[in-house]
CSV table of all heavy atoms in Angstrom, one decimal:
chain,number,residue,atom,x,y,z
I,3,GLN,N,33.2,75.6,27.8
I,3,GLN,CA,32.7,74.5,26.8
I,3,GLN,C,33.7,74.3,25.7
I,3,GLN,O,34.1,73.2,25.4
I,3,GLN,CB,31.4,75.0,26.3
I,3,GLN,CG,30.7,74.0,25.3
I,3,GLN,CD,30.0,72.9,26.1
I,3,GLN,OE1,29.7,73.1,27.3
I,3,GLN,NE2,29.8,71.8,25.5
I,56,PHE,N,78.0,25.2,27.3
I,56,PHE,CA,77.2,24.3,26.5
I,56,PHE,C,78.1,23.5,25.5
I,56,PHE,O,77.9,22.3,25.3
I,56,PHE,CB,76.1,25.0,25.8
I,56,PHE,CG,75.4,24.2,24.8
I,56,PHE,CD1,74.4,23.3,25.2
I,56,PHE,CD2,75.6,24.4,23.5
I,56,PHE,CE1,73.8,22.5,24.3
I,56,PHE,CE2,74.9,23.6,22.5
I,56,PHE,CZ,74.0,22.7,22.9
I,63,ARG,N,86.3,15.8,32.3
I,63,ARG,CA,86.3,14.5,32.8
I,63,ARG,C,86.3,14.5,34.3
I,63,ARG,O,86.7,15.4,35.0
I,63,ARG,CB,87.6,13.7,32.3
I,63,ARG,CG,87.8,13.8,30.8
I,63,ARG,CD,86.7,13.2,30.1
I,63,ARG,NE,86.7,11.7,30.1
I,63,ARG,CZ,85.8,11.0,29.4
I,63,ARG,NH1,84.9,11.6,28.6
I,63,ARG,NH2,85.9,9.7,29.4
I,72,PHE,N,74.3,12.6,30.9
I,72,PHE,CA,72.9,12.2,31.0
I,72,PHE,C,72.8,10.9,30.3
I,72,PHE,O,72.6,10.8,29.1
I,72,PHE,CB,72.0,13.2,30.5
I,72,PHE,CG,72.1,14.6,31.1
I,72,PHE,CD1,72.9,15.6,30.6
I,72,PHE,CD2,71.4,14.8,32.3
I,72,PHE,CE1,73.0,16.8,31.3
I,72,PHE,CE2,71.5,16.1,32.9
I,72,PHE,CZ,72.3,17.0,32.4
I,90,ASP,N,65.6,10.2,42.2
I,90,ASP,CA,66.0,11.5,42.9
I,90,ASP,C,65.5,12.7,42.1
I,90,ASP,O,65.9,13.8,42.4
I,90,ASP,CB,67.5,11.6,43.0
I,90,ASP,CG,68.1,10.4,43.7
I,90,ASP,OD1,67.6,10.0,44.7
I,90,ASP,OD2,69.1,9.8,43.2
I,126,TRP,N,72.5,33.3,19.8
I,126,TRP,CA,72.8,32.7,18.5
I,126,TRP,C,72.5,33.7,17.4
I,126,TRP,O,73.2,33.8,16.4
I,126,TRP,CB,71.9,31.5,18.3
I,126,TRP,CG,72.6,30.2,18.6
I,126,TRP,CD1,73.0,29.2,17.7
I,126,TRP,CD2,73.1,29.7,19.9
I,126,TRP,NE1,73.7,28.2,18.4
I,126,TRP,CE2,73.7,28.4,19.7
I,126,TRP,CE3,73.0,30.2,21.2
I,126,TRP,CZ2,74.2,27.7,20.8
I,126,TRP,CZ3,73.5,29.4,22.3
I,126,TRP,CH2,74.1,28.2,22.0
I,129,LEU,N,75.3,36.0,17.1
I,129,LEU,CA,76.4,35.4,16.4
I,129,LEU,C,76.1,35.3,14.9
I,129,LEU,O,77.0,35.6,14.1
I,129,LEU,CB,76.6,34.0,17.0
I,129,LEU,CG,77.8,33.2,16.4
I,129,LEU,CD1,79.1,33.8,16.7
I,129,LEU,CD2,77.7,31.8,16.9
I,150,ALA,N,69.5,43.1,-4.5
I,150,ALA,CA,70.2,42.8,-5.7
I,150,ALA,C,69.7,41.5,-6.3
I,150,ALA,O,69.1,40.7,-5.6
I,150,ALA,CB,71.7,42.6,-5.4
I,177,PHE,N,74.9,19.3,21.8
I,177,PHE,CA,73.7,18.9,22.6
I,177,PHE,C,73.8,17.4,22.8
I,177,PHE,O,73.7,16.9,24.0
I,177,PHE,CB,72.4,19.3,22.0
I,177,PHE,CG,71.2,18.9,22.8
I,177,PHE,CD1,70.8,19.6,23.9
I,177,PHE,CD2,70.5,17.8,22.4
I,177,PHE,CE1,69.7,19.3,24.6
I,177,PHE,CE2,69.4,17.4,23.2
I,177,PHE,CZ,69.0,18.2,24.3
I,194,LEU,N,79.4,7.4,11.2
I,194,LEU,CA,78.0,7.1,11.2
I,194,LEU,C,77.7,5.9,12.1
I,194,LEU,O,76.9,5.0,11.8
I,194,LEU,CB,77.6,6.7,9.7
I,194,LEU,CG,77.7,7.8,8.7
I,194,LEU,CD1,77.3,7.3,7.3
I,194,LEU,CD2,77.0,9.0,9.0
I,199,VAL,N,68.7,8.2,16.6
I,199,VAL,CA,68.1,9.3,17.4
I,199,VAL,C,69.1,10.4,17.5
I,199,VAL,O,68.7,11.6,17.5
I,199,VAL,CB,67.6,8.8,18.8
I,199,VAL,CG1,68.8,8.3,19.6
I,199,VAL,CG2,66.9,9.9,19.5
I,205,ALA,N,69.9,16.8,13.3
I,205,ALA,CA,69.2,17.4,12.2
I,205,ALA,C,68.2,18.4,12.7
I,205,ALA,O,68.1,19.5,12.1
I,205,ALA,CB,68.5,16.3,11.4
I,210,PHE,N,66.5,24.0,13.3
I,210,PHE,CA,65.9,25.1,14.2
I,210,PHE,C,66.9,26.2,14.4
I,210,PHE,O,66.5,27.4,14.4
I,210,PHE,CB,65.4,24.5,15.5
I,210,PHE,CG,64.0,23.9,15.4
I,210,PHE,CD1,63.8,22.6,15.2
I,210,PHE,CD2,62.9,24.8,15.5
I,210,PHE,CE1,62.5,22.1,15.1
I,210,PHE,CE2,61.6,24.3,15.4
I,210,PHE,CZ,61.4,22.9,15.2
I,212,TYR,N,69.3,27.1,12.3
I,212,TYR,CA,69.4,27.8,11.1
I,212,TYR,C,68.1,28.7,10.8
I,212,TYR,O,68.3,29.9,10.5
I,212,TYR,CB,69.5,26.8,9.9
I,212,TYR,CG,69.5,27.4,8.6
I,212,TYR,CD1,70.6,28.2,8.1
I,212,TYR,CD2,68.4,27.1,7.7
I,212,TYR,CE1,70.6,28.7,6.8
I,212,TYR,CE2,68.4,27.7,6.4
I,212,TYR,CZ,69.5,28.5,6.0
I,212,TYR,OH,69.5,29.0,4.7
I,242,ILE,N,63.7,48.4,36.8
I,242,ILE,CA,64.5,49.3,36.0
I,242,ILE,C,64.6,48.7,34.6
I,242,ILE,O,64.9,47.5,34.5
I,242,ILE,CB,65.9,49.6,36.6
I,242,ILE,CG1,66.6,48.3,36.9
I,242,ILE,CG2,65.7,50.5,37.8
I,242,ILE,CD1,68.1,48.6,37.2
I,265,GLU,N,64.6,75.5,22.0
I,265,GLU,CA,63.4,75.0,22.7
I,265,GLU,C,63.4,73.5,22.7
I,265,GLU,O,62.6,72.9,23.3
I,265,GLU,CB,62.1,75.5,21.9
I,265,GLU,CG,61.9,77.0,22.0
I,265,GLU,CD,61.5,77.4,23.4
I,265,GLU,OE1,60.5,76.9,24.0
I,265,GLU,OE2,62.3,78.2,24.0
I,281,THR,N,65.6,44.1,17.5
I,281,THR,CA,64.2,43.7,17.2
I,281,THR,C,63.5,44.8,16.4
I,281,THR,O,62.3,44.7,16.2
I,281,THR,CB,63.4,43.5,18.5
I,281,THR,OG1,63.3,44.7,19.3
I,281,THR,CG2,64.1,42.4,19.4
I,287,GLU,N,59.3,55.3,21.9
I,287,GLU,CA,57.8,55.2,22.0
I,287,GLU,C,57.4,54.5,23.3
I,287,GLU,O,56.3,54.2,23.6
I,287,GLU,CB,57.3,54.3,20.9
I,287,GLU,CG,57.3,55.1,19.5
I,287,GLU,CD,57.1,54.2,18.4
I,287,GLU,OE1,56.5,53.1,18.5
I,287,GLU,OE2,57.6,54.6,17.3
I,292,GLY,N,58.2,44.3,22.1
I,292,GLY,CA,59.4,44.0,21.2
I,292,GLY,C,60.7,44.2,21.9
I,292,GLY,O,61.7,43.7,21.5
I,336,ARG,N,62.0,45.5,48.4
I,336,ARG,CA,60.7,45.4,47.8
I,336,ARG,C,60.1,44.0,48.2
I,336,ARG,O,60.8,43.0,48.1
I,336,ARG,CB,60.9,45.4,46.3
I,336,ARG,CG,61.3,46.8,45.8
I,336,ARG,CD,61.7,46.8,44.4
I,336,ARG,NE,60.6,46.2,43.5
I,336,ARG,CZ,60.8,45.9,42.2
I,336,ARG,NH1,62.0,46.1,41.7
I,336,ARG,NH2,59.9,45.3,41.6
I,344,ILE,N,62.8,34.2,49.2
I,344,ILE,CA,62.6,33.2,50.2
I,344,ILE,C,62.3,31.9,49.4
I,344,ILE,O,62.8,30.8,49.8
I,344,ILE,CB,61.4,33.6,51.1
I,344,ILE,CG1,61.8,34.7,52.0
I,344,ILE,CG2,60.9,32.4,51.9
I,344,ILE,CD1,60.7,35.3,52.8
I,346,MET,N,63.2,31.0,46.5
I,346,MET,CA,64.4,30.5,45.9
I,346,MET,C,65.3,29.8,46.9
I,346,MET,O,65.9,28.8,46.7
I,346,MET,CB,65.2,31.7,45.3
I,346,MET,CG,64.7,32.0,43.9
I,346,MET,SD,65.4,33.6,43.3
I,346,MET,CE,67.1,33.2,43.2
I,353,ILE,N,67.5,21.4,47.2
I,353,ILE,CA,68.5,20.7,46.3
I,353,ILE,C,69.8,20.4,47.0
I,353,ILE,O,70.3,19.3,46.8
I,353,ILE,CB,68.8,21.7,45.1
I,353,ILE,CG1,67.5,21.9,44.3
I,353,ILE,CG2,69.8,21.1,44.2
I,353,ILE,CD1,67.6,23.1,43.3
I,386,ARG,N,51.8,-8.0,54.9
I,386,ARG,CA,52.7,-8.3,53.8
I,386,ARG,C,53.3,-7.1,53.2
I,386,ARG,O,52.5,-6.1,53.1
I,386,ARG,CB,51.9,-9.1,52.7
I,386,ARG,CG,52.7,-9.6,51.6
I,386,ARG,CD,51.7,-10.3,50.6
I,386,ARG,NE,52.4,-11.3,49.7
I,386,ARG,CZ,52.5,-11.0,48.4
I,386,ARG,NH1,52.0,-10.0,47.8
I,386,ARG,NH2,53.2,-11.9,47.6
I,400,GLN,N,75.4,-7.3,49.8
I,400,GLN,CA,74.6,-8.2,50.6
I,400,GLN,C,73.9,-7.4,51.7
I,400,GLN,O,74.6,-6.7,52.5
I,400,GLN,CB,75.5,-9.3,51.2
I,400,GLN,CG,76.2,-10.2,50.2
I,400,GLN,CD,75.3,-11.1,49.5
I,400,GLN,OE1,74.3,-11.6,50.0
I,400,GLN,NE2,75.6,-11.4,48.2
I,413,LEU,N,59.9,-10.8,61.8
I,413,LEU,CA,60.1,-10.6,60.3
I,413,LEU,C,60.3,-11.9,59.6
I,413,LEU,O,61.2,-12.7,60.0
I,413,LEU,CB,61.3,-9.7,60.1
I,413,LEU,CG,61.7,-9.4,58.7
I,413,LEU,CD1,60.7,-8.5,58.0
I,413,LEU,CD2,63.1,-8.7,58.6
I,420,ILE,N,70.1,-10.3,51.6
I,420,ILE,CA,69.6,-10.2,50.2
I,420,ILE,C,70.7,-9.7,49.3
I,420,ILE,O,71.3,-8.7,49.6
I,420,ILE,CB,68.4,-9.3,50.2
I,420,ILE,CG1,67.4,-9.6,51.3
I,420,ILE,CG2,67.8,-9.2,48.8
I,420,ILE,CD1,66.6,-10.9,51.1
I,430,VAL,N,61.8,-7.7,47.2
I,430,VAL,CA,61.8,-8.7,48.2
I,430,VAL,C,60.4,-8.7,48.9
I,430,VAL,O,59.9,-7.6,49.3
I,430,VAL,CB,62.8,-8.6,49.3
I,430,VAL,CG1,62.9,-9.8,50.2
I,430,VAL,CG2,64.2,-8.2,48.7
I,446,SER,N,49.9,1.0,63.5
I,446,SER,CA,51.1,1.2,64.3
I,446,SER,C,52.3,1.4,63.3
I,446,SER,O,52.4,0.8,62.3
I,446,SER,CB,51.5,0.0,65.2
I,446,SER,OG,50.3,-0.5,65.7
Side-chain angles (χ1 to χ4, degrees):
Chain I
Q3 184 79 17
F56 169 77
R63 308 300 285 185
F72 300 92
D90 303 314
W126 262 250
L129 180 65
F177 181 79
L194 300 179
V199 63
F210 276 96
Y212 174 70
I242 56 164
E265 291 291 304
T281 65
E287 284 165 27
R336 292 170 53 192
I344 290 171
M346 276 167 69
I353 297 165
R386 188 178 197 249
Q400 298 289 328
L413 175 70
I420 310 292
V430 191
S446 321

